[in-house]
Amino acid sequence: MKKLISIALLSILLSQTMLAQTTPQVFTKGAMNNMGPTYDIKVWLDTLPDKSNLFAMGPYDKMKGEITVFDGKPFFASAFEEGKAVVSQSWDIRSPFFVYSNVKNWEEFNLPGPLNSVQQIEENVAAIAKNKGYDLKEPFAFRIGGEFDQMTAHIVTPRSPDIEGYRPDIKSQNFTLENEKGEILGFYSEQHQGVFTGSKSFIHVHYLRDDQTFMGHLDKITTGNRSLKLYLPKKQAPVETGMRVNDTDFSKGRLGYIQTIDLDDLVKFHGHLCDGLVVGHLALQQAMEQLYPDGLIDRTNTRVVSKASPCLTDAAIYDTGGRYQFNSFYVSDAIDGLFVVQRIDTKKTVGVQMKNGLKPKEIDQLGAIAVKGELPTCDLDKLKNLEDDFTETLLSTDPKKNFIVTEISDFNWNPILKSTYIKTDIINKNALKCGK
Ligand SMILES: [Zn+2]
Ligand SMILES: [Zn+2]
């Protein structure tokens, strides 16, 4: 029964990520409700792995103002002097809670006026999104562009005297704006109250004036009957995980038996869906695209060196057809990156690695403790959730951006037989359930 349930969960995850059209994922760091009295910093913007087409918002530093990232441009605004907003740009800034999403393509819709409150923005955005087939259960970014009759926006100010810009008894500076031209950036979510939306709201909205002389958190709005433009993230085609492979057609047969192998085939072979397996599969897909530009992978003509992880080695032999006993597969932790893949006929060789910073560090930190068998049972579940989130990221973002393939000109194929690697994915097989 247990097994049935986990297989069902896996197939839901696979079908959600692979079949359904999705909007770009919304990520969070820290939470509004967990900032605490000292507004501990939860993210350095510098360290965000992918800043292209980034849209984001959060408080600037320890309540020194507001951050809004518009299409990869990091604006931060502060109001250290009464009535005066100063807008600057830098990646070298920090935030105590942060929401962000990389959105490359947007779909434009008409948003009829009037909009006379932030609440109405929420209702109208939800209505249009729902009508256009967006899943309101999934968080998404949105933008509203146009001219606005009146707005009230605020910029928060520091709460403690040791922070630059502190003014006694002032927690934020309000601004009344008229005849504005600019853009509102918002994040919609029905499940992030207290994280990045208030307790009674499903949206968090910031405003940036067209000439970039003002930016702040939007509290009130009056648009009159003007019609505005609403932009929603374009739904993405899911990441293509299939590989077309060419094999022989029977035990003594000829080359030409062509089939498509997919991630779920590999999952059955490996035993479970895990982030390492997805990393391996997508990395090999990228590597083999370089070796077989026509898209047909000859599994009788490919050999591979893999790092020792149980997930990577399984992906390597399944996807490439390489086997140790035929001198077409071996394991080495001395290679750069994840795999070295070679075409036997031309000797063309490529190495493939994952982009630095893509994998959340916590996965490797908790993973290292789990491999020692020392991770508490409830933390095993936490680690699984982190890995599932990472899997989802990998299956909804362009693998071309996530993996780097480099040609190796003088690769020395040097098979070693070593059978002392540790199968790390069975170490905790008898761990108790969380809470038991
Ligand atoms: Zn805000
Ligand atoms: Zn695995």
Side-chain angles (χ1 to χ4, degrees), residues 32 57-59 65-68 97 154 156 196 204-206 216-219:
M32 208 179 252
M57 62 181 64
E66 307 287 339
I67 298 174
T68 313
F97 80 82
H154 75 251
V156 293
F196 65 81
H204 188 148
V205 275
H206 283 192
H217 179 109
L218 186 68
D219 296 307

Side-chain angles (χ1 to χ4, degrees), residues 30-42:
M32 208 179 252
N33 280 359
N34 297 338
M35 287 196 290
T38 51
Y39 301 96
D40 296 336
I41 296 302
K42 287 287 157 38

